[in-house]
Amino acid sequence: MAYQFSLSYYYITEQHDKQLDVFSEASGDSRQDLINQYVRGWLGRNRRYYETLAKLDVTKREIDIDDWVKIVVEQGFEALPDYKNSISDGEIPPNPLGHIILPAKMTKRDINYIFLTKQNYILLRTAIYYDGSKIAQYLSRVVYEHIQRNWELLYAPQVAAETSNYWLKGDK
């Protein structure tokens, strides 16, 4: 069963906004579908990190796993009981998104929701909670990181191939 993660908006650079439009048109994927893919990809690449945080949270709150999952899914981290044992320095590894600093000038874009598996839904809630940012800022950094890392290697060649068959000529 897919879980709907509600969002209101995210921020994107003007350049990334144009790139997303161009690739959306070339691929036939909606912007919302692309953002959904980016979030799923981020969680997949960093699954071990976010699983570690979720397990740490369960342990430190001394709560039954099933109860913890139910509360996180249905109500969010705010509804969890307080920690019985505080998290000490060094127990949380460096945030894999910590190096991403968004540019000052960004455009606000609306988005309604993304669909995730139960595990990804929980991991995304965990990620946002431990990141310490708002949903929009977290999502914006995921989108920024994804486009920065993948545009030249994955997306630009596909967009270029829409108007030219030069890619078939080889590496001569």
Side-chain angles (χ1 to χ4, degrees), residues 10-110:
Y10 63 98
Y11 297 99
I12 190 166
T13 66
E14 186 176 325
Q15 177 185 352
H16 287 176
D17 198 38
K18 289 176 185 175
Q19 290 169 326
L20 201 56
D21 279 342
V22 169
F23 187 73
S24 176
E25 185 178 320
S27 69
D29 291 323
S30 70
R31 289 175 69 104
Q32 185 161 327
D33 287 342
L34 291 172
I35 300 301
N36 204 24
Q37 291 172 29
Y38 299 170
V39 170
R40 288 176 182 166
W42 177 258
L43 293 172
R45 280 187 307 285
N46 295 284
R47 183 164 315 284
R48 181 169 286 159
Y49 174 79
Y50 295 119
E51 283 177 353
T52 298
L53 291 180
K55 290 173 185 176
L56 177 67
D57 198 86
V58 169
T59 301
K60 293 297 184 170
R61 291 179 197 272
E62 294 184 12
I63 184 173
D64 178 76
I65 291 171
D66 293 330
D67 292 340
W68 185 90
V69 166
K70 183 177 178 168
I71 293 169
V72 170
V73 168
E74 293 177 2
Q75 301 170 59
F77 268 77
E78 302 75 29
L80 287 168
D82 292 337
Y83 292 108
K84 302 263 181 173
N85 298 295
S86 52
I87 297 173
S88 55
D89 290 339
E91 284 189 282
I92 299 176
N95 184 344
L97 204 53
H99 68 287
I100 301 298
I101 299 169
L102 296 174
K105 185 173 164 88
M106 298 192 72
T107 303
K108 184 178 179 180
R109 291 286 177 235
D110 293 331

Side-chain angles (χ1 to χ4, degrees), residues 81-161:
D82 292 337
Y83 292 108
K84 302 263 181 173
N85 298 295
S86 52
I87 297 173
S88 55
D89 290 339
E91 284 189 282
I92 299 176
N95 184 344
L97 204 53
H99 68 287
I100 301 298
I101 299 169
L102 296 174
K105 185 173 164 88
M106 298 192 72
T107 303
K108 184 178 179 180
R109 291 286 177 235
D110 293 331
I111 187 170
N112 295 323
Y113 53 83
I114 57 177
F115 286 106
L116 301 165
T117 64
K118 182 178 176 181
Q119 183 186 39
N120 276 348
Y121 184 89
I122 291 166
L123 294 180
L124 181 56
R125 282 196 176 230
T126 302
I128 293 165
Y129 179 79
Y130 278 94
D131 187 69
S133 63
K134 302 279 187 206
I135 294 170
Q137 283 74 27
Y138 184 83
L139 180 62
S140 301
R141 288 173 38 228
V142 168
V143 170
Y144 183 84
E145 186 279 337
H146 183 88
I147 295 173
Q148 282 289 107
R149 182 172 41 83
N150 291 306
W151 181 258
E152 290 301 320
L153 182 65
L154 299 179
Y155 300 115
Q158 293 178 70
V159 170

